[in-house]
Structure formats: structure tokens, C-alpha cells
Amino acid sequence: MSSGRGGDRARVRAFGLRTRLLLAFLLVAAVSACTTAALTYREARNSLLETAQDTAVTSFRDHVQQTGFSLPVQKEGLEEVLRDIARKGKPHPWVVFAEYGSIRASSGENPVSTVITPELRRAARADAHGSFERVVKDGVPYLTIAMPTVFKASPDSLLPSGLVLYAVMRMTDEQVNVDALLMAGRDGALPGLAVALIPGLIAARSVLRPVRKLREAARNMGSGRLDTRIPVRGSDELADLAHTFNDSAGQLEQSVRELREAEERARRFASDVSHELRTPLAGMLAVTEVLDEDADGLDADTARAVRLVSAETGKLAVLVEDLMEISRFDARAAELNADEVDVAEAIRQTLDNRHWTDDRIRTELPDGIRARLDPRRFDVVIANLVGNALRHGGAPVTVRLRTEARSPGPPVLITDVVDSGPGIRPEALPHIFDRFYKADAARTRSAGSGLGLAITLENVKLHGGTIHAGNRPGGGAVFAVEIPLHVEGTGG
């Protein structure tokens, strides 16, 4: 289990606030760098291509307009004219093609180009001023220009002659430059991201420093140092958080101080009252014992009153002793004087001392189980549980002793006290070990002090153990006391 928690903690630390801040900073830097590089690349690419394109279109238009063609066009001599135009190509050499009716000619080896598209041909017939198109063929970029030859029918009217010239220019140099721009943008973005780590680390440190101080302060307060405060610097949101933490810590410290003082006053009051009552109670007990012995010689009403006073004085004495015992637990003055004992024999001795040896009590106590226990406190645990079962449960009451192996950890000694009564109501189970709690709200008085189970719980804790209360499926309450068989370092 611990390794699993350690792995979870490592994953949380790996993706902690510092990492997320750095990732967010890098993401913003990456988006900014990529956006800037993309826009720069697009503008530079368009500028580069448009420059070459405008130069080629303007130059080709000028050469076509300056070249005279006699109509109707004859194929003889046309190729020489096309080669002359091709030699003047800018910014790169052209291959010039001509189409006139069924006549096809070019300045190159093939009279027909595979790069010129039907769309460009249709655009050339529709626009007397010419058209152009960028085409990629077999991975090679081309600029294709269509320029129809025209003649003036009037000063304001141009008529196509039917002859259309096409210039095909490779744009490999421009593509190389565009690729170089792309590589430069990519190569420039990566170092930029690396450089962005430095301000990212600085920003993360400035944000996380007050967070770390807040974490340390919260940890100190959790460990009991309620006077912890955070130094406040600046006037940002983190400074407001530090102010809020300090104000809350101050109020908490004051509240805890007041609670501790009230608890200490209540504990001292209970302890002082108990001590002050012990001496007069001792005298009262002695008197009531004498009166009990002479009660048979008194009249009926007086004898009944004497016995009532004797019984109530005994209850008061038990309450005082229990209050003193619980006060010692509250003051952490209770000590554990452990010794190795035979547990089964210790339980039998407890039952014998209370005269619980009749058929109301059943025992399942295997011999040979030895453990380090405080005999007096273990006696109190068993006596309180069995007495509580007899008073509020139902006979017979079973006391069962056993051991159980636990992994991890040492084996435990388990003592079960089971009664045959109606059991504990579900709403009472969470409060069964509270001081002065009465499971039966209608029962305002009982033979006990109301502290027996609370004292039992404290004694079990002092042994390093636990106690659980529950109900059997068939009816009856079950109290299970679990004490480690080998407890080191226990004490008051």
C-alpha cells in the first residue's frame, strides 16, 4: 500500500504546479512562435512567388505585344519566333508554345505542353489580357502564362486573332527559397522555445515561492504550531491569499487557545471536585456501612431510607472514582504498568472477584495465551464490559478469548464480550463510548456512572489496541477488544 501511495505522490509531483506552469508557458511560447513563423513564412512565400510571377507575366506580355504576327499564321517560321521570345524569358528561361487552330508549335522539342491545363486555355479565350496559373507536375512547380494575340478593330476595341501563346517557366529556384524559409522558421522556433524556458522557470519560481511558503505554513499549523504566519510581499492575489491565511490562522489560534483554556478549566474542576469529595465520601461510606448493619433493627420506613442512602452513596463513590480516572486520562497522567500475564487466568480472576461465577456467565478461555498487559487496567476493561452486558444486555453473557494473525503487523489478542439482549440501537452505536451517553433516552438513572465504556476505551488505547461495538445477526451486543500481543514503547 505504501509503495502505491508513493507512486501516486510521485505522479502528482511530476505533474505538479511547477510542471503545469512551465508547460503552459511553453505552450503559449510555442503557439506564438508557430503563429509568427507561419505568418512570416506565408508573407515571405507570397512575396517571393508574386515577384517572380509578376516579372514573368509582365515580361511575357510585353514580348508578345512587341512581336508581329502575320495572319493567317503559318507554321513555317513560327518556331523561330517562339525561340526568340523564349530566349528573352525572365526571371528564368521559358518554354513558349503556340496554338492557332490546328497548328501547334513550341520553342522546345514537344509542340504540346503537358503542364498547360484546360482551365488555363478557357481563361485565355475569355480574357484578352491573358491569364496565368501555378501548377505542380510530378513534384516540380511551374508557372504557366497564357497570352492571346489581339488586333485593334477600333481605338477602344480589341479582337482576338485566334493565336494564343503560352509560356511555361519552372519555379524550382523559388521552391528552394520557400523550403529554405520553412527550414529557417522551424530552426528558429526550436531555439526560441529553449530560450523561453528561462523566463518560464523564473515566472514559475516567482509564482511557486509563496505557494511553497503557504504549504509549509499549513503543514506547521497541522503539526500544532498555530503561531505560524506567512510573510506578505507585494499587493497581488498571492499577497491577498497570504493576508487571508494569516487572518484565519490568528482566529484559529485564538479559538484553540480559548478551547484549551476552557478544557483545562473543566478538567481541573472535575479533578478538584473529585479530590474534595473523596474525604467526605469515605466518611459517609463508613457511616452507611454501620447503618446497613443495624438496618434490620430499625422500623421499615427508616430501614428503607438507610438502605437508599447507602446505595446512592456507593454510586456517588463510584462516580467520583471514575471522574478522577477520566481526569488522569485527560491530563495524560495515566501510566501503563505492563507485565506478562496469563490472559485466561486474568479474566477468570476478574470474574471471581465480582462473584460472576454463576450460569449468567459463559467463558471460552483457552489456556496458554500470554501477553504483556497492565493487570489492573485489563481487569477494569473486562469488568466494565461484562458489567455493562449484565446491566443493559441480557444473560447469558459470553466472554471469549482468541488470537489472530495480522499482516502486516504483529498478531493481536482479541477478547469478545457477547450478551443475549436486544442489542444496541443503530443510532446509538457511533456514541456508545461517549462520556455520560445513555443509549436509552428514557433511562435517566442507571447503576453505572456513565463513564464505564469511556474509561474502557481509554484503557484499551493505552495498551495500543482498539475496541469495537456491534450487534450479532441473531440479537445481542458484541464488544471486541483487540490488543497487539507485542507492543513496544507503550506507556502513559
Side-chain angles (χ1 to χ4, degrees), residues 27-44:
L27 180 62
V28 172
V31 171
S32 302
C34 291
T35 303
T36 303
L39 293 175
T40 303
Y41 166 75
R42 188 186 68 178
E43 294 299 323

Side-chain angles (χ1 to χ4, degrees), residues 197-265:
L197 275 175
I198 298 175
L201 287 171
I202 295 175
R205 183 178 180 184
S206 64
V207 171
L208 290 178
R209 185 185 296 113
V211 175
R212 284 196 300 269
K213 290 182 179 179
L214 179 62
R215 181 189 63 191
E216 293 172 0
R219 183 181 298 152
N220 290 337
M221 289 193 66
S223 62
R225 296 172 56 186
L226 300 181
D227 58 342
T228 302
R229 300 293 184 271
I230 302 176
V232 180
R233 295 185 177 88
S235 58
D236 55 8
E237 290 81 358
L238 291 173
D240 293 341
L241 179 61
H243 276 298
T244 303
F245 179 88
N246 290 340
D247 293 342
S248 302
Q251 294 175 5
L252 178 62
E253 183 181 16
Q254 181 179 356
S255 299
V256 171
R257 184 187 304 114
E258 292 174 355
L259 286 174
R260 286 175 176 171
E261 291 174 354
E263 183 182 7
E264 178 62 28
R265 287 194 300 270

